[in-house]
């Protein structure tokens, strides 16, 4: 069964450093998402992406964050200058369309620790 | 804005016990409702969903009914197994447009002991 993959599974970085989290969505999907979960808190929406543009973003997704689909398969989340509060599990998701019965398929997540 | 409130965990049950994990929501309009499950080391997997009031979603022995009058979508299973140990997330999507963002609850960690 097709699945969303994410790399790396764990990332440790120093405050102020740039990190890029990578995702390979399911191949025929058109909509892409990033969510995050700070330890012990809710899974929060960050951004959605369609047709090479951001469709929607949350208040969390400020100028420090960016997303890109650099080729036909990868979908990346970049944090330019990491802060301690960026430590979280980051989930990528994808879906194929707009129908009511559509489902978002999630990857296993990248656990980011900012020191 | 939209929100989902989920039963606090962790929940520990014996094998073959009856499971209920409560979920209530706040939303305008007509949201779709979901339960996702996360097994250790894996991503969020869709467990079941319902897109309109009174719909019942079911999968792997789990059920949840979309109750608009009580704004609830409680997850139930009649007889749990050790393999059901996981974290369960309730979520809503604001409408029937499949590409909209999901709003999640905090997750409930379930442990089943033999």
């Amino acid at each position: 069964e097709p699945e969303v993959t994410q790399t790396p599974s764990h990332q440790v970085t120093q405050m102020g450093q740039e990190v890029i989290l990578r995702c390979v969505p399911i191949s025929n999907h058109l909509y892409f998402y990033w969510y995050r979960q700070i330890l012990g808190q809710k899974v929060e929406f960050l951004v959605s992406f369609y047709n090479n543009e951001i469709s929607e973003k949350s208040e969390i997704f400020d100028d420090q964050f960016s997303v890109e689909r650099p080729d036909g398969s990868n979908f990346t989340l970049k944090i330019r200058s990491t802060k301690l509060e960026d430590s979280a599990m980051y989930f990528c998701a994808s879906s194929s369309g707009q129908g009511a019965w559509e489902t978002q398929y999630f990857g296993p997540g990248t656990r980011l620790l900012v020191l | 804005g939209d929100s989902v409130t989920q039963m606090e965990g962790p929940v520990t049950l014996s094998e073959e016990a009856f499971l209920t994990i409560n979920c209530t929501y706040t939303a305008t309009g007509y949201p779709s409702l979901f339960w996702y499950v996360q097994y250790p080391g894996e991503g969020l997997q869709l467990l079941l969903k319902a897109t309109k009031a009174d719909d019942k979603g079911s999968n792997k022995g789990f059920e949840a009914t979309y109750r608009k009058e009580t704004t609830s979508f409680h997850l139930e299973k009649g007889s749990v197994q050790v393999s059901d140990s996981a974290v369960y997330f309730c979520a809503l999507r604001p409408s029937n447009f499949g590409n909209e963002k999901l709003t999640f609850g905090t997750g409930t960690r379930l442990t089943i002991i033999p």
Side-chain angles (χ1 to χ4, degrees):
Chain A
E1 185 175 326
E3 59 182 17
V4 177
T5 59
Q6 289 185 244
T7 54
S9 58
H10 294 79
Q11 173 102 38
V12 181
T13 190
Q14 295 291 324
M15 191 170 55
Q17 294 296 304
E18 175 184 285
V19 295
I20 297 176
L21 309 184
R22 291 183 168 79
C23 168
V24 179
I26 294 173
S27 63
N28 63 343
H29 283 187
L30 302 175
Y31 299 87
F32 313 111
Y33 313 82
W34 285 100
Y35 294 80
R36 78 173 187 189
Q37 185 182 29
I38 295 172
L39 191 63
Q41 298 185 24
K42 298 186 177 189
V43 177
E44 303 170 290
F45 168 77
L46 293 178
V47 65
S48 59
F49 192 84
Y50 169 71
N51 199 27
N52 282 321
E53 290 183 348
I54 290 174
S55 308
E56 186 178 0
K57 58 183 181 180
S58 70
E59 292 175 353
I60 302 167
F61 195 88
D62 61 21
D63 291 345
Q64 291 301 311
F65 291 88
S66 63
V67 288
E68 194 177 34
R69 188 154 162 82
D71 53 42
S73 59
N74 289 283
F75 179 52
T76 62
L77 174 69
K78 181 193 289 187
I79 309 175
R80 287 192 184 80
S81 178
T82 50
K83 307 184 187 78
L84 296 177
E85 54 265 36
D86 293 328
S87 295
M89 178 73 91
Y90 288 80
F91 294 105
C92 174
S94 68
S95 66
S96 60
Q98 294 185 358
W101 210 244
E102 291 295 339
T103 298
Q104 291 182 27
Y105 293 85
F106 284 76
T110 294
R111 185 171 294 284
L112 176 66
L113 178 60
V114 182
L115 301 176
Chain B
D2 297 343
S3 67
V4 175
T5 301
Q6 231 181 290
M7 180 174 170
E8 292 281 334
V11 174
T12 303
L13 294 173
S14 297
E15 203 165 22
E16 299 183 3
F18 184 86
L19 169 71
T20 300
I21 300 177
N22 290 337
C23 172
T24 56
Y25 68 90
T26 302
T28 55
Y30 303 95
S32 297
L33 301 171
F34 303 81
W35 277 100
Y36 279 82
V37 58
Q38 185 178 32
Y39 299 103
E42 299 184 18
L44 298 169
Q45 300 175 22
L46 179 69
L47 181 60
L48 52 85
K49 60 187 175 187
T51 58
K52 62 183 188 296
D54 300 324
D55 269 2
K56 178 187 282 188
S58 60
N59 186 26
K60 299 182 182 180
F62 291 89
E63 293 183 340
T65 301
Y66 186 159
R67 301 280 188 208
K68 191 168 173 62
E69 64 275 16
T70 54
T71 62
S72 65
F73 193 55
H74 304 322
L75 182 68
E76 296 181 337
K77 186 174 185 182
S79 177
V80 292
Q81 306 300 313
V82 172
S83 57
D84 294 326
S85 298
V87 181
Y88 292 81
F89 294 89
C90 185
L92 74 78
R93 189 178 66 203
S95 73
N96 271 336
F97 286 103
N99 60 321
E100 290 190 297
K101 68 183 182 188
L102 297 173
T103 297
F104 284 87
T106 51
T108 302
R109 181 174 298 279
L110 173 67
T111 301
I112 307 301
I113 53 177

